[in-house]
Amino acid sequence: MSESVDHHEDWRPAYNPWLIAVVVTLAAFMEILDTTIVNVALPHIAGSLSSSNDEATWALTSYLVANGIVLTISGWLGDLFGRKRYFIICIAMFTVCSFLCGIAQSLAQLIVFRLLQGFFGGGLQPNQQSIILDTFPPAKRGAAFGVAAIATVVAPILGPTLGGYITDQATWRWIFFINIPVGMIATFFVSVMVEDPPWEKNRRSRGIDYIGLGLIAIGLGSLQIMMDRGEDADWFNSGFIRLMALLAFLGISGAIGWLLIAKKPIVDLSVFKDKNFAGGCIMIGATGAILYASAVIIPQFAQIVLMYTPTWAGLILSPGGVAVILLIPVIGRLMTVMQTRYVIALGFTVMGCALLYATTLVPNIDFKTLVMMRTFQSSALAFLFVPISTVAYMTLPRELNGDGSALFAMFRNVFGSIGISLATSQVTQRSQVRQSYLSEWATPFHQPYQALVAQYEQSLRAMGRAGATAHDTAVGHVYQVMRTQVAVLAYADVFFYCAIVAFAVVPFCFLLSAKIGGMRPEGGH
């Protein structure tokens, strides 16, 4: 028995671990990119497939629903099929489904193919992380997670830029077709380079936990539908959204209760007994919410308020991705001299300050300033993803890596969806509040309002407009100025709320184990 244990401890992959990390990250990058690349193309998809924008949104919802469910159970599916085999199946079928999405001739076909794409894509992120965990010794995982972070952080940033460019220059179908060569390359190299370590090969399947699977599917599926469709359906004023909320609550609470008492649960919740893993999940959830929310509302602000094209709105995000790539090696070195929990605390502090800076939005803000705002926010992400991933798995037993990776990715994605939904709904709500407040001053009894109307009226008369027409047009101009101010203030409010979330997480960083620091682990698994 001891010889077997020693053999397991001495196991090393046949190929260079860094090549393996790049190959598995390529597959994850492709999948994460697909969660955001479709967003900017939705109007084009709706027009091409003769549907409304609201109907086309189901192409996003179907993907997120399937993706969120499979993320949670990917550890079980890896045990069932074998991790390497399951990973290859996911890459190959994700590629096939991408092709099917590209040739879809109706919205119904696209929704079905996107559902399948999300189903197979859900296994890519957790398997990428668990393969990296087993390929690298604990002391080198921080640097390895730096490679993985490029997919996790840069892909959501690059998605809108690439999607906007492809849609403007070609057709929306190519946002799916570009996955085909990437998927084929990833499938080949994963099949050649990646191998299951002995402890994975010897692991037995847990069987099929039908109750746990059903409760997770109902709970997470309903939650994703509620968050994705809530804004369009007017939230809890809609009977459909109330039903989804009830099913989400019953499904998730029932799943937690069942998984705690089941003999062979589909997901092993004992991973949360590890304080560092539990803390890491909370922090990656907050990071995912802030990342996805800010990645959506900045291009939205640029397009709606500043009238940018999708390509230019996406380009606001791109320099931030470059900043992350440049900073990740620096953060890796910083983790060798500073406790990791302090690096994470610094990251959330920097993020909070960056979001406060974004509250200084003005109606005539220029492209350069918007890029600086986003780059400042993205730079903070470099302090978060690698350190949080390192802390989460540092003290987690090796046999729990599969379930840990699945739940870790689930927290990031589900809270990312929640962040997007809350941010977009808050823009609408704060716009109503701000308009109500500003309307009190848009009255003939308020001198600055009268002066502004008179200024516009004078300019219009100088251009040859008649008296009554000039006055009505001037009032209309003032109303448009007020609407712009309302929108700017609403977006600034959302950035302020995001800053509060970032600062609120900082105290949790100090609850992590003080022994974890400087990338000097107290031992292996």
Side-chain angles (χ1 to χ4, degrees):
M1 183 69 181
S2 62
E3 291 179 4
S4 175
V5 173
D6 291 342
H7 173 69
H8 287 187
E9 292 295 338
D10 293 338
W11 177 84
R12 295 290 182 272
Y15 288 87
N16 186 308
W18 294 105
L19 287 177
I20 295 173
V22 170
V23 167
V24 298
T25 297
L26 181 65
F29 185 91
M30 174 179 66
E31 188 271 328
I32 298 171
L33 188 73
D34 249 52
T35 60
T36 57
I37 196 172
V38 180
N39 293 25
V40 294
L42 279 181
H44 299 266
I45 292 173
S48 174
L49 299 180
S50 302
S51 59
S52 67
N53 283 342
D54 184 58
E55 291 170 336
T57 308
W58 280 102
L60 290 178
T61 305
S62 60
Y63 181 92
L64 292 172
V65 167
N67 195 267
I69 294 169
V70 175
L71 272 172
T72 312
I73 62 172
S74 61
W76 169 72
L77 289 170
D79 291 348
L80 187 66
F81 295 105
R83 189 175 65 190
K84 177 182 176 178
R85 185 182 295 114
Y86 175 55
F87 194 49
I88 292 173
I89 290 171
C90 286
I91 301 172
M93 291 307 299
F94 184 88
T95 307
V96 170
C97 292
S98 295
F99 172 74
L100 294 174
C101 288
I103 63 171
Q105 297 302 308
S106 68
L107 183 63
Q109 288 182 7
L110 181 62
I111 291 172
V112 171
F113 295 147
R114 281 285 284 173
L115 189 74
L116 292 172
Q117 193 185 33
F119 178 82
F120 290 107
L124 295 179
Q125 292 181 59
N127 276 296
Q128 172 220 20
Q129 286 211 318
S130 59
I131 288 170
I132 287 176
L133 281 168
D134 289 337
T135 302
F136 289 86
K140 292 185 178 180
R141 285 179 186 165
F145 279 132
V147 177
I150 292 175
T152 308
V153 180
V154 177
I157 293 172
L158 182 62
T161 308
L162 187 60
Y165 180 79
I166 291 172
T167 305
D168 288 343
Q169 300 299 320
T171 170
W172 63 266
R173 297 183 184 278
W174 278 98
I175 64 178
F176 297 111
F177 290 149
I178 60 169
N179 289 334
I180 296 172
V182 178
M184 293 172 67
I185 292 169
T187 302
F188 173 75
F189 282 106
V190 167
S191 63
V192 172
M193 291 185 177
V194 175
E195 58 183 306
D196 287 335
W199 55 88
E200 280 292 329
K201 290 179 180 178
N202 298 335
R203 181 172 294 179
R204 295 181 179 178
S205 171
R206 296 171 236 179
I208 301 178
D209 176 12
Y210 292 104
I211 296 177
L213 178 60
L215 289 170
I216 288 172
I218 292 170
L220 289 179
S222 300
L223 177 65
Q224 288 283 11
I225 292 173
M226 182 188 78
M227 299 310 299
D228 201 52
R229 305 294 299 175
E231 179 62 24
D232 294 330
D234 197 21
W235 290 105
F236 293 106
N237 290 323
S238 162
F240 175 71
I241 296 300
R242 289 198 296 270
L243 175 62
M244 290 297 104
L246 177 62
L247 290 175
F249 172 76
L250 294 176
I252 293 173
S253 58
I256 293 172
W258 172 258
L259 295 174
L260 289 173
I261 63 173
K263 292 182 179 180
K264 293 183 178 180
I266 195 168
V267 180
D268 191 347
L269 296 186
S270 65
V271 290
F272 291 112
K273 292 179 181 178
D274 186 295
K275 182 178 69 173
N276 293 311
F277 180 80
C281 285
I282 293 171
M283 291 173 195
I284 203 66
T287 304
I290 295 170
L291 167 65
Y292 283 97
S294 57
V296 166
I297 61 176
I298 286 183
Q300 189 183 83
F301 169 79
Q303 288 179 268
I304 294 175
V305 179
L306 304 180
M307 306 304 292
Y308 281 27
T309 64
T311 302
W312 279 101
L315 285 172
I316 294 171
L317 307 178
S318 301
V322 176
V324 171
I325 294 172
L326 295 176
L327 277 173
I328 281 175
V330 178
I331 303 305
R333 294 296 299 272
L334 181 63
M335 289 168 62
T336 64
V337 297
M338 181 186 291
Q339 282 193 18
T340 309
R341 58 181 183 164
Y342 296 147
V343 177
I344 299 170
L346 177 62
F348 279 113
T349 303
V350 172
M351 175 65 79
C353 293
L355 291 164
L356 284 180
Y357 173 45
T359 63
T360 61
L361 289 170
V362 290
N364 61 343
I365 190 169
D366 60 9
F367 179 79
K368 180 181 176 182
T369 306
L370 276 175
V371 168
M372 286 178 59
M373 284 181 175
R374 182 57 192 171
T375 303
F376 192 11
Q377 294 170 21
S378 299
S379 299
L381 293 170
F383 290 83
L384 297 173
F385 270 95
V386 176
I388 290 173
S389 299
T390 304
V391 163
Y393 298 109
M394 186 67 79
T395 55
L396 193 68
R398 185 172 62 194
E399 61 272 13
L400 295 176
N401 280 349
D403 284 327
S405 297
L407 290 167
F408 190 76
M410 183 273 289
F411 265 79
R412 183 178 67 239
N413 281 36
V414 169
F415 277 87
S417 297
I418 292 173
I420 291 172
S421 299
L422 292 180
T424 51
S425 66
Q426 280 300 301
V427 167
T428 303
Q429 184 178 349
R430 294 305 300 172
S431 294
Q432 295 169 350
V433 172
R434 290 291 189 174
Q435 181 163 337
S436 175
Y437 176 75
L438 290 181
S439 296
E440 295 179 9
W441 306 99
T443 167
F445 302 105
H446 186 54
Q447 181 58 35
Y449 171 79
Q450 284 185 311
L452 186 59
V453 172
Q455 179 183 338
Y456 278 120
E457 190 173 346
Q458 185 178 355
S459 299
L460 289 166
R461 284 179 175 172
M463 294 168 61
R465 293 287 183 94
T469 305
H471 178 76
D472 291 342
T473 307
V475 171
H477 274 303
V478 172
Y479 178 72
Q480 288 302 321
V481 170
M482 186 185 77
R483 292 278 296 175
T484 302
Q485 291 282 3
V486 163
V488 170
L489 290 170
Y491 281 101
D493 287 345
V494 173
F495 281 121
F496 180 72
Y497 295 152
C498 289
I500 291 175
V501 172
F503 287 129
V505 181
V506 173
F508 288 96
C509 301
F510 300 101
L511 299 178
L512 298 171
S513 174
K515 293 181 180 180
I516 297 178
M519 290 300 295
R520 292 184 292 272
E522 297 297 315
H525 288 298

